[in-house]
Amino acid sequence: MRKQSQKTVEAPSVEEMEEVRVREYDKERDREAVEEMEKRCELGLQGKPSLSTDLMGDPTCRIRHSPSNLMLVAEYGERKEIVGVIRGCIKTVTRGKKVMSNFPIFAKVAYILGLRVLPTHRRLGIGTKLVEKLEEWCKKESVEYAYMATDCTNEASINLFTLKCAYVKFRTPTVLVQPVHAHYKHIGRGVTIAQLAPQLAESIYRRVFANSEFFPKDIDVILSNKLNLGTFMALPKGTLHKWDLQSGHLPPCFAILSVWNSKEVFKLQVKGVSALKYALCVGSRILDAWMPWLRIPSIPDVFRPFGVYNLYGLHMEGEKGASRLMKSLCTFAHNMASDDPGCGALVAEVGRMDPVREAVPHWRRFSWAEDLWCVKKLSTVENEDKTCGVPNWITSLPSSPVIFFDPRDF
């Protein structure tokens, strides 16, 4: 077990709390200050390797693709300096299925993301106040649950939500990352890959993810978004003409996924690595450029801002060959990304026990096994789950090992 350091943290005084004011983000007056504040937050991570985020355009770009969203800022002192920020979006998702039924249960949830507080103003209760104000908005919108995601090693964030804001540890999906190389990868023989129309993709997704958790009710909006680069299905070669997918009959063996272009929303950048690691990464690219026929798995230049493609809606069926079909789809997506300058990686987030986890190519050094999700019930109606004959979502076991990753949440 990791040893916890025994530090005495003084609670913020009443005077300090009165110095903090939380209000809604104003694009015209706050944009420059928020961008500068978030840069200073990243500077506070220097001294060890870190992954910084550079939003493309307005700071609300990470939530504006959600139907209902809000961004709050925290001001401090007489100068009204912006020292904190938080974002939230609301959607309706599945939370499994009813007992003895195949019909999904839907819940209105809020996803909390982008919480930042200046290093110079931490331990003043600013993060807690931002979360509380966002929850007030969620309750007015009749949200049943709020959840957030963080690295399982981010003790500061975990303690804030679990110890101060009454969230509980809920799910631990796996994040799989594959670097995008300069050369194409070979798609296996005997595989046919077809692009599906958004309407057909929606129909298939609603069937195969009906019993999963966090499948968004507005999947049609996601699939028709300009950032969605398409939905693709892999089948054994020569079998596509045998199945009328429009009729609702799915092949006995297939794999499916969609590709989301996060490169247009934000850029990532690795900072703080040692000179040796930097030289090794540069060397791998030089060797790959000089001897491309060796197909060296060179590491992209992640020390400059780079974008990612998100793979979501990953599903496969069929006892024999389904895993190979999923790997072929991921290879197809890799080749798509290779044609897009500035795309440095593919990212897929799946449930820890989801069968597709073992079929998705990834680098372990870049991936992480547990992405901690914490949840809190916001509904004030007592025992509403019991009266409806539905078990409490937080305390009940998941009805499926599948967790649907919404690309808008990344």
Side-chain angles (χ1 to χ4, degrees), residues 340-403:
D340 189 343
C343 185
L346 301 176
V347 179
E349 187 160 10
V350 299
R352 291 182 63 192
M353 304 302 294
D354 192 328
V356 302
R357 175 182 176 179
E358 301 303 323
V360 178
H362 61 280
W363 283 22
R364 291 186 179 181
R365 185 176 294 274
F366 290 169
S367 306
W368 54 100
E370 293 186 354
D371 184 35
L372 179 62
W373 290 15
C374 298
V375 68
K376 177 180 180 179
K377 188 172 182 180
L378 298 181
S379 175
T380 56
V381 179
E382 294 184 2
N383 300 320
E384 66 173 2
D385 288 330
K386 293 181 180 180
T387 58
C388 295
V390 177
N392 187 299
W393 191 14
I394 298 178
T395 58
S396 61
L397 294 175
S399 59
S400 167
V402 178
I403 298 175

Side-chain angles (χ1 to χ4, degrees), residues 269-306:
Q269 183 178 3
V270 176
K271 298 180 179 179
V273 299
S274 66
L276 177 60
K277 289 183 178 180
Y278 181 87
L280 290 174
C281 293
V282 173
S284 71
R285 293 195 298 276
I286 294 175
L287 286 175
D288 196 15
W290 284 354
M291 297 176 286
W293 59 87
L294 293 179
R295 305 181 67 82
I296 297 173
S298 58
I299 299 176
D301 189 358
V302 295
F303 310 112
R304 295 182 181 181
F306 66 95

Side-chain angles (χ1 to χ4, degrees), residues 210-312:
N211 298 331
S212 66
E213 292 185 314
F214 294 96
F215 177 73
K217 195 172 184 178
D218 65 339
I219 184 63
D220 55 320
V221 175
I222 299 175
L223 294 173
S224 61
N225 191 289
K226 64 180 181 180
L227 297 180
N228 190 68
L229 300 181
T231 301
F232 306 91
M233 176 178 282
L235 304 98
K237 195 169 185 178
T239 62
L240 179 61
H241 68 283
K242 297 181 180 180
W243 301 97
D244 182 8
L245 299 178
Q246 299 285 355
S247 66
H249 297 290
L250 294 176
C253 186
F254 72 94
I256 187 173
L257 61 74
S258 296
V259 183
W260 182 271
N261 184 9
S262 292
K263 188 171 71 75
E264 304 303 321
V265 179
F266 60 83
K267 295 289 180 69
L268 301 173
Q269 183 178 3
V270 176
K271 298 180 179 179
V273 299
S274 66
L276 177 60
K277 289 183 178 180
Y278 181 87
L280 290 174
C281 293
V282 173
S284 71
R285 293 195 298 276
I286 294 175
L287 286 175
D288 196 15
W290 284 354
M291 297 176 286
W293 59 87
L294 293 179
R295 305 181 67 82
I296 297 173
S298 58
I299 299 176
D301 189 358
V302 295
F303 310 112
R304 295 182 181 181
F306 66 95
V308 301
Y309 279 1
N310 292 105
L311 308 183
Y312 72 99

Side-chain angles (χ1 to χ4, degrees), residues 96-105 206-207 209-211:
K97 64 178 181 178
K98 295 181 181 179
V99 180
M100 305 297 293
S101 170
N102 287 324
F103 293 101
I105 306 170
R206 290 195 187 279
R207 277 179 284 165
F209 288 109
N211 298 331

